[in-house]
Amino acid sequence: MVRKIFALVALVALVAAGCGGHDRSAVTSGAHGSSPATTSAATTSASPAACPSEQNKKFAKTRFAADAGLAFGAFHRWIWKPYQAGTFQSGAEGRTAAMVKAAAAGAFALNRLNAARKLVDDDPTLCKALKQPLDALWNSVNGLTEKLRSGNLNPAEIGTVGGAIDAFRDRSKQAGTEIKDREPPSLGN
């Protein structure tokens, strides 16, 4: 068990180093790490000048749906389900291991959402409909992941991020791209 926790901590560190925290699209949505309230005040669609006039990458919508599905699957499997089970409550059995797994899942979700953001920038339809909402969602998941890493989590915040994911999923479907949860790689049970 101790080796699994050390392996998960190492995984979180590696993924966090890969995620960086600074991203070119974070500049377009406001200050890095801004709260969802400040990003929702921004316009809900990207300006036509910021979006491409034609698709720049093959299968951008399909790849976007796959990356977002992996991010949402990781969130639901290792963050949402333990939250619903009460595992993140103070004094709950297995809380520390669940927090470590949730932080790793959050880092993985950020990585996949970042990949999805790049694909949104390469498709005119996705860009116009989803760029700003995806940036706001990325900021929300980033804030939650930081709190999971520090162990300073109010479990109710998970419900807020879960609602933001569901709203984004609905918006994506309205834009013509359905996102289904995909099972991410296993973190070990």
Side-chain angles (χ1 to χ4, degrees), residues 30-181:
H32 178 275
S34 60
S35 70
T38 58
T39 56
S40 65
T43 59
T44 57
S45 63
S47 67
C51 294
S53 58
E54 60 185 48
Q55 191 172 21
N56 295 329
K57 290 190 179 175
K58 292 183 180 182
F59 306 109
K61 286 183 182 181
T62 304
R63 292 167 54 199
F64 159 78
D67 283 332
L70 284 168
F72 295 172
F75 175 83
H76 284 108
R77 168 69 174 89
W78 284 292
I79 300 173
W80 184 255
K81 286 182 182 179
Y83 161 70
Q84 287 185 317
T87 308
F88 296 123
Q89 296 296 330
S90 182
E93 186 176 329
R95 181 176 189 259
T96 302
M99 293 279 277
V100 170
K101 287 181 182 182
F108 175 80
L110 284 172
N111 179 277
R112 293 298 81 211
L113 285 176
N114 196 43
R117 289 165 77 187
K118 291 175 183 175
L119 291 165
V120 162
D121 288 341
D122 289 324
D123 184 272
T125 305
L126 291 177
C127 183
K128 290 173 187 164
L130 301 176
K131 183 171 179 52
Q132 294 290 336
L134 184 55
D135 287 345
L137 178 62
W138 189 91
N139 286 329
S140 295
V141 174
N142 186 44
L144 178 65
T145 301
E146 290 298 321
K147 290 179 180 181
L148 284 165
R149 284 181 189 152
S150 70
N152 188 21
L153 173 72
N154 176 357
E157 294 176 50
I158 295 172
T160 302
V161 174
I165 287 174
D166 291 340
F168 181 81
R169 187 189 314 265
D170 290 343
R171 187 171 186 131
S172 177
K173 189 172 184 178
Q174 290 172 355
T177 304
E178 187 173 0
I179 301 171
K180 296 181 181 178
D181 284 1

